[in-house]
Amino acid sequence: MALGQGLAICHDVVINKQGDQSLVGGKPGEGAVFTVRIRDMIWLGLCRAGIALVVAAQVMAAWAAMAAPRSVPAYAEIKDWMVACDNTRSCEAQGSSDENPGLSMIIRRNAGPEGSLEITLASESEIEPSSLMLDGGPFNTAASWAIRRDERSTMLLASGQQAAAVLKALRNGIVLSSGPRKDRSAPALSLRGLAAVLMLMDDVQGRVGGEGALALPGPAPADQVPPAPALPMVVAAAMAPTLSPQAARSLIGAIRVAKASDMTAAECEPEADVGTPHDRDRAMLLSPGEALVLLECFRGPYQSASLAFRGPTDRPTQAERLTLPLPLEAAPMDMFFSADYDPTTHIFAMKANGRGLGDCGRSASWVFDGRRFQLAAYAKQGRCGGIVSWPVLWRSANVPVRP
């Protein structure tokens, strides 16, 4: 933001102190043009100094705005890459190929001045570090890759300064391949979006303009990087008694009757071809007088979905539908996929696969603390792309159940 002081300083120097001229011109809508005529070099220097001070103030203000920590968690899909930074400012970027076989890369960096940096480059075919090519030319960063192979894939791993050297060479590239791309037989990875996700990682972790920045390094020392935030503590409630099978079946039936309108509104009813509908319904005690009831809505080849209700065990009509918020999601979760509740740990967990391969989706777990469900962990991969390691957006220090 301009402070309006540069022109004031020049006007005082030119008109009041020196008796020279200051002319204003320009066309409407195209900006103003200021012409200053100064005969004395000393006053010219003062005018220039005033303008320089204003420019410096603007640069410092812009730097302060840029240095302000970005809120977390953060998630973005940029061109052919995606990046996620969790609530402790640890970040993970992923790039993958739709080709088969293709290349995929995962970049992980922890927060803080000493935050570790790791790269994993993987393919379902055999690849060698010496055969890697960047934009059709040899890719040689002198990095010493660790190689892991199994019957199905090859992984090349680099860490620390070697990983930083790899990213420095890649960030302005277009395509990384495991060999010549003339017949497109060599697995390849698009680098479109890599520089942007590295910039976001630097921004979240407070590294922009610093020695350890991955996108735009600068002179700022590494020890100026903010430390990683502490993990939030999530304390589980006291252990609840076990609900007998007969009491569980009775409560499930009562909730189905009492909440029939909710079930209908959510189109919650197992498909006709399900041989034993409702056999996955569950009822568990949260406390001696309160229960959590899961009612199955539909069942697919690799997952099912349920509505959850919470309420007093002796008054089913007062049960309320459970909805739980998630970071970066506009609406709370109100239908839970592959849901389960462990009454011994008070952990309520779900996992929703985007497709059968499991290479996209989201998973979350909450801990019941005696009053409410607190988020303990959350991972999300919005883009399906062959990588089954979903980036973490939320983590916590989960404290065991109270005695």
Side-chain angles (χ1 to χ4, degrees):
M1 177 182 294
L3 302 178
Q5 295 179 351
L7 287 175
I9 294 172
C10 283
H11 182 271
D12 183 61
V13 169
V14 174
I15 305 301
N16 299 332
K17 302 287 193 305
Q18 185 67 8
D20 286 321
Q21 292 180 315
S22 176
L23 306 176
V24 182
K27 297 179 180 180
E30 297 182 4
V33 178
F34 295 87
T35 304
V36 179
R37 295 175 181 172
I38 303 177
R39 291 170 292 182
D40 192 304
M41 295 302 295
I42 295 177
W43 292 112
L44 175 60
L46 288 174
C47 186
R48 287 176 173 171
I51 294 175
L53 286 173
V54 173
V55 172
Q58 292 176 344
V59 171
M60 292 178 66
W63 176 260
M66 182 173 61
R70 179 188 289 260
S71 61
V72 288
Y75 179 90
E77 297 178 5
I78 306 174
K79 295 183 179 179
D80 296 326
W81 283 72
M82 56 169 286
V83 59
C85 297
D86 66 24
N87 55 316
T88 69
R89 301 191 181 275
S90 291
C91 296
E92 177 175 322
Q94 294 186 4
S96 61
S97 171
D98 291 332
E99 298 178 1
N100 188 18
L103 282 180
S104 63
M105 180 178 286
I106 298 178
I107 304 165
R108 294 188 177 98
R109 191 170 203 182
N110 291 331
E114 304 298 327
S116 61
L117 173 64
E118 298 177 348
I119 296 176
T120 302
L121 180 65
S123 177
E124 293 182 352
S125 66
E126 290 192 7
I127 55 176
E128 298 289 342
S130 59
S131 67
L132 295 177
M133 304 186 74
L134 177 61
D135 298 336
F139 179 62
N140 183 12
T141 63
S144 177
W145 295 88
I147 305 176
R148 296 179 184 174
R149 303 186 193 275
D150 58 28
E151 297 178 354
R152 300 170 53 188
S153 63
T154 302
M155 291 192 298
L156 306 182
L157 301 97
S159 60
Q161 292 301 318
Q162 294 180 348
V166 170
L167 295 177
K168 181 179 179 181
L170 291 179
R171 66 191 180 204
N172 294 320
I174 300 175
V175 176
L176 176 68
S177 62
S178 63
R181 292 284 289 167
K182 293 182 179 180
D183 57 357
R184 301 182 67 84
S185 60
L189 172 66
S190 170
L191 302 176
R192 295 173 62 253
L194 173 61
V197 300
L198 295 179
M199 173 67 81
L200 191 147
M201 291 172 67
D202 287 343
D203 186 18
V204 166
Q205 297 182 343
R207 303 184 195 275
V208 176
E211 296 174 345
L214 300 177
L216 290 177
D223 59 10
Q224 292 186 7
V225 173
L231 286 171
M233 302 290 289
V234 180
V235 182
M239 188 174 295
T242 301
L243 197 62
S244 69
Q246 182 178 356
R249 288 193 297 271
S250 175
L251 182 58
I252 289 169
I255 294 291
R256 278 200 169 271
V257 172
K259 299 300 173 181
S261 59
D262 295 67
M263 307 284 286
T264 301
E267 300 180 353
C268 179
E269 185 63 34
E271 302 293 337
D273 58 353
V274 175
T276 53
H278 308 165
D279 66 326
R280 296 186 183 179
D281 292 352
R282 295 190 64 197
M284 298 78 57
L285 288 178
L286 297 174
S287 65
E290 187 179 24
L292 176 69
V293 178
L294 302 178
L295 303 182
E296 187 182 42
C297 293
F298 67 83
R299 189 182 308 176
Y302 53 86
Q303 63 187 356
S304 62
S306 303
L307 297 187
F309 295 89
R310 174 187 174 184
T313 55
D314 57 348
R315 297 184 298 279
T317 57
Q318 294 185 14
E320 296 183 352
R321 186 172 170 183
L322 184 67
T323 61
L324 297 173
L326 286 173
L328 306 178
E329 301 296 336
M333 289 288 295
D334 59 1
M335 185 171 289
F336 302 93
F337 290 79
S338 303
D340 190 26
Y341 179 74
D342 185 346
T344 62
T345 61
H346 287 294
I347 294 178
F348 178 47
M350 57 80 62
K351 182 179 181 182
N353 288 321
R355 60 183 185 179
L357 293 175
D359 58 353
C360 57
R362 55 185 179 174
S363 63
S365 62
W366 298 264
V367 172
F368 183 66
D369 66 2
R371 296 184 299 107
R372 61 189 181 92
F373 286 90
Q374 293 194 51
L375 183 64
Y378 179 43
K380 173 183 176 179
Q381 183 162 320
R383 176 182 294 170
C384 301
I387 298 178
V388 295
S389 174
W390 299 355
V392 174
L393 286 169
W394 192 270
R395 64 182 78 236
S396 66
N398 184 17
V399 179
V401 177
R402 295 171 182 156

